[in-house]
Amino acid sequence: MHLATFYVSPAGSDRWHGHLAEPAADGCDGPLATIREAVARVRHAREQRHLAGEATIRVAAGRYTMARPLEFGPEAHGIRVIAEPGAVLDGSVPITGWATEPINGRPCWVADVGPLLLATPGTPRSLFVDDERRPCSRFPKAGWLTIADVPDAPPDFELADGSSRFVVGEGDFDPAWRNPTDIEAIVNHLWTEERMPVAAYDPASRRVTSSRRSIFTLRNKGWMGETPCAKYFWENVFEAMSEPGEWYLDRVAQRLYYLPKPGETADATQVRLGVLTQLVRVHGDDTGGADGRAWGVHLEGLTFANTDWRPSEGWGRWWDPEKPEHEWRAKDSYNHFDRQWPQSAASSVSVRYASAPQAAHDLPGVVSFELAEGCALVSCAFRGLGFYAVDVGVGCRQVRVERSRFDDIGAGGVKIDGADQSGDPRLQTSHVYVGDCTITRCGRVTPSAVGVAILHASDSVVEHNEIADQFYSGISVGWTWGFEQAVCQRNLIQYNHIHDIGQGRLSDMGGIYTLGVQPGAILRGNHIHHIESGHYGGWGIYLDEGSAYIRVEGNLVHHTGSQAFNEHWGRQNVVIGNVFALCRRELARLCREEHGGQYHVPPPGCLFLRNVLLTDGPAVFMDNTTYFDIDALTSDLNVFWDRAAADTPTIWNYAPWPKIGKPARAIGLDETRKRGWDLHSRITDPKFVDPDAGDFRVADDSPLHALGLSPLDTERVGPRAIPPTWVPVVRTFSTVQEDTFTD
């Protein structure tokens, strides 16, 4: 019997000692029933000095329905939780006692959920049938409605002119719908979705009043959308429940409705309603100094499943759904937003917004780290979750997420965010690793979420992941608009496979998206393809406002709806050795070089060298802001090839925005060279094997060999079959030292 090891099993009991893997023959001892009790036993053993050093909790296969999140605080350090395949931490409860009633001409299952609603904070919003998420009823069933008018929008409206009122088209809202104040408008525009609950409806004016205000204007300008106002659909409409698999919760009558799919029977189908929003919290305490940190928590092999979600709360604060509002931390990184939305700074109660400004960054994680050190999630699975799957928050360092699978996530996969440059240094976050993970089907509740988001954090690595099938950016790095100093430095994003992003829903996105000054940042060896925006801006690599000192090296980007590369208001970036190919627009866009009033910024300039650019008609470069007219580019030693124009490609599509007042024109290589650019670049066919099918290997007679150009070997990209070995060095009890990780 090893006293440093505790066993947990569905066949166990929390009255037993927990040092046996199976129940004893006499039934008097055996494994524990819950991980929570095992953690408590470790804590007690240490208090009694019966245990020193690391402890291991081994979890047998089975479903562990959680009554509340599992907590690891400073006192629960040095614990390794190792699970067998099939060990599931579940945030839902089963629904039984079904009756059958005809609803909208279909047989429908109906259950009384009154006792459950009384015991659950908030209204459950997630239903899982045989561990698959089911959609809430919506109207219309497909496509979008369009807002008819926004009475609160001024004639010269700006982006931040949000509204809580809008007018719908004739027949687009029925005041006879059941429980109309439980219905929400899901407004799809720009780079976010506004979730606007109905507070009131006036049939005479067709005006909807929402209990939440949109973060952005609901009107559109030319660059914002194709219609005068935003698109939307209604969610949680009882009368619209008509397709098998849809469900509706009548909060007033306390009844749950579900339209079964063919083959589903009430006695053989497991229906579960999500109730918990978080499953694990590894949270230290910053009031206790170094000893207040949570450290050495290693979770391996667990599946986290079936959690609920809530609309975010608390503008300008770190929203924590497990703490009362008065304990939420102030979020120093909201300075930028408070300048645009000054009415929000005074009170987060008086203004409740329908969306986060970007990337659903205010949502927490189902597995949450805060003031955590030397912790890891290894070989875990995340499915059917409501928030971000993992949130590495303030004051974290040396946290790893690796060899894990994320699928069907309400928001994004992993969010990393600490204090910004003006915040408490103790709350800054660094040295986070996300590697060899598969992150698919994110944004199922909140489409604007990101696969992996690094907001305020430094010295972190995101490598060898596959990120696919979502509606906004694959990886986002940086959270400072403009050229102010930032903590987001020396982050490495490499060998990730990012594809099928956007899918025509949101706009202004990238396979990899960056913001702000980031010395030492490297985007290297990533394979990015099939990025499609809803209206504009489906870019492969997108260096947005203030992006500076970033090295973009050896990436393969192809088949994007917009350009493969876009630098928008950047400085001193190096773009070298990439392949940009076969985009619907130009291959690279360079625009907006003005200082924006920030005259202390680094000087303009982008170094664009040794890239291979293959187009099929569109120009190589796009210029909307007279970038071509200033000495802000060093471009040379590139290879250009236009399959439609052969020896005479258009190098620049010079098309300044109308307000600039300069005529558009096409610019060839001769005029480009007169500017002093691409003096040594060549027009030649790179002879890729089958670029239309995504095969960018080069033929034996390719001129790239002689030029020393080696396109990315895609076999090196994405999760590795045998990743490097992780070796933790666990902190001892007698000294305080940094945890380290070595590959």
Side-chain angles (χ1 to χ4, degrees), residues 641 684-691 697-704:
W641 187 249
T684 185
D685 185 354
K687 296 189 177 179
F688 295 122
V689 171
D690 190 357
R697 293 174 298 165
V698 294
D700 292 340
D701 60 344
S702 168
L704 300 186

Side-chain angles (χ1 to χ4, degrees), residues 370-628:
E370 184 175 300
L371 286 157
E373 177 184 350
C375 297
L377 287 162
V378 179
S379 300
C380 291
F382 304 82
R383 59 174 170 77
L385 307 182
F387 289 153
Y388 271 88
V390 180
D391 177 12
V392 183
V394 296
C396 289
R397 56 179 182 257
Q398 298 285 8
V399 175
R400 296 177 71 99
V401 182
E402 60 179 321
R403 288 178 273 162
S404 295
R405 183 173 186 88
F406 302 73
D407 186 67
D408 184 17
I409 309 300
V414 181
K415 179 167 69 76
I416 304 164
D417 191 14
D420 76 356
Q421 192 69 28
S422 65
D424 186 341
R426 297 176 304 167
L427 301 182
Q428 291 179 355
T429 293
S430 68
H431 298 88
V432 179
Y433 180 87
V434 182
D436 298 290
C437 295
T438 301
I439 302 173
T440 57
R441 294 202 300 160
C442 290
R444 266 39 197 177
V445 174
T446 309
S448 60
V450 173
V452 177
I454 300 177
L455 307 183
H456 296 296
S458 68
D459 301 285
S460 295
V461 177
V462 179
E463 67 174 3
H464 289 285
N465 303 288
E466 180 179 10
I467 300 173
D469 191 0
Q470 60 186 57
F471 308 110
Y472 192 50
S473 297
I475 297 174
S476 181
V477 187
W479 202 247
T480 301
W481 284 254
F483 299 104
E484 301 171 358
Q485 189 175 3
V487 299
C488 197
Q489 302 179 17
R490 300 177 301 280
N491 294 306
L492 175 61
I493 314 298
Q494 66 176 0
Y495 301 114
N496 300 285
H497 186 195
I498 304 168
H499 60 97
D500 296 287
I501 301 297
Q503 302 184 28
R505 179 154 184 179
L506 298 179
S507 298
D508 205 286
M509 73 189 68
I512 300 177
Y513 173 91
T514 70
L515 277 170
V517 177
Q518 301 189 37
I522 300 175
L523 316 180
R524 178 171 62 203
N526 300 285
H527 184 196
I528 303 170
H529 58 96
H530 292 94
I531 315 297
E532 293 289 348
S533 62
H535 175 56
Y536 77 97
W539 292 295
I541 295 176
Y542 181 9
L543 308 188
D544 201 7
E545 300 198 14
S547 293
Y549 303 126
I550 299 173
R551 185 177 181 90
V552 180
E553 177 182 13
N555 302 282
L556 169 59
V557 186
H558 60 95
H559 292 99
T560 63
S562 298
Q563 293 82 5
F565 174 79
N566 179 34
E567 181 187 86
H568 177 246
W569 197 15
R571 292 284 194 276
Q572 300 293 307
N573 297 305
V574 176
V575 184
I576 186 168
N578 304 279
V579 174
F580 300 143
L582 301 181
C583 300
R584 196 171 303 123
R585 298 292 305 274
E586 303 79 9
L587 298 176
R589 180 174 180 261
L590 301 161
C591 71
R592 198 178 174 195
E593 273 299 323
E594 75 270 21
H595 285 275
Q598 300 183 55
Y599 295 102
H600 60 283
V601 301
C606 175
L607 191 63
F608 198 91
L609 300 176
R610 297 179 62 78
N611 301 289
V612 181
L613 302 112
L614 172 66
T615 183
D616 204 0
V620 174
F621 295 104
M622 158 65 82
D623 182 0
N624 290 131
T625 55
T626 66
Y627 199 105
F628 185 80

Side-chain angles (χ1 to χ4, degrees), residues 640-651 669 682-685:
F640 304 130
W641 187 249
D642 184 348
R643 297 193 306 191
D647 294 337
T648 58
T650 299
I651 303 302
L669 185 58
R682 297 182 58 178
I683 298 175
T684 185
D685 185 354

Side-chain angles (χ1 to χ4, degrees), residues 233-357:
F233 64 84
W234 299 111
E235 189 172 83
N236 203 37
V237 180
F238 175 77
E239 288 75 8
M241 192 174 64
S242 60
E243 300 302 313
E246 286 188 311
W247 67 284
Y248 176 83
L249 176 62
D250 190 328
R251 185 171 53 88
V252 176
Q254 300 181 337
R255 305 183 87 200
L256 176 66
Y257 296 83
Y258 175 65
L259 288 176
K261 288 189 171 186
E264 292 178 343
T265 60
D267 58 347
T269 303
Q270 188 176 72
V271 181
R272 303 181 71 91
L273 196 62
V275 291
L276 288 188
T277 59
Q278 293 186 300
L279 293 175
V280 173
R281 292 163 59 88
V282 184
H283 283 206
D285 180 359
D286 59 342
T287 64
D291 292 335
R293 303 182 69 82
W295 55 268
V297 177
H298 176 103
L299 307 178
E300 181 171 341
L302 289 164
T303 294
F304 305 93
N306 302 347
T307 62
D308 203 17
W309 59 275
R310 302 282 186 271
S312 64
E313 301 287 351
W315 176 271
R317 289 177 289 172
W318 297 88
W319 175 43
D320 189 333
E322 293 297 318
K323 288 185 178 180
E325 185 173 351
H326 69 271
E327 294 185 16
W328 298 349
R329 299 175 184 272
K331 200 168 189 178
D332 42 73
S333 59
Y334 263 64
N335 295 335
H336 167 79
F337 299 122
D338 286 337
R339 287 194 294 268
Q340 293 197 55
W341 291 274
Q343 73 276 9
S344 68
S347 172
S348 63
V349 177
S350 61
V351 180
R352 301 177 72 222
Y353 285 110
S355 172

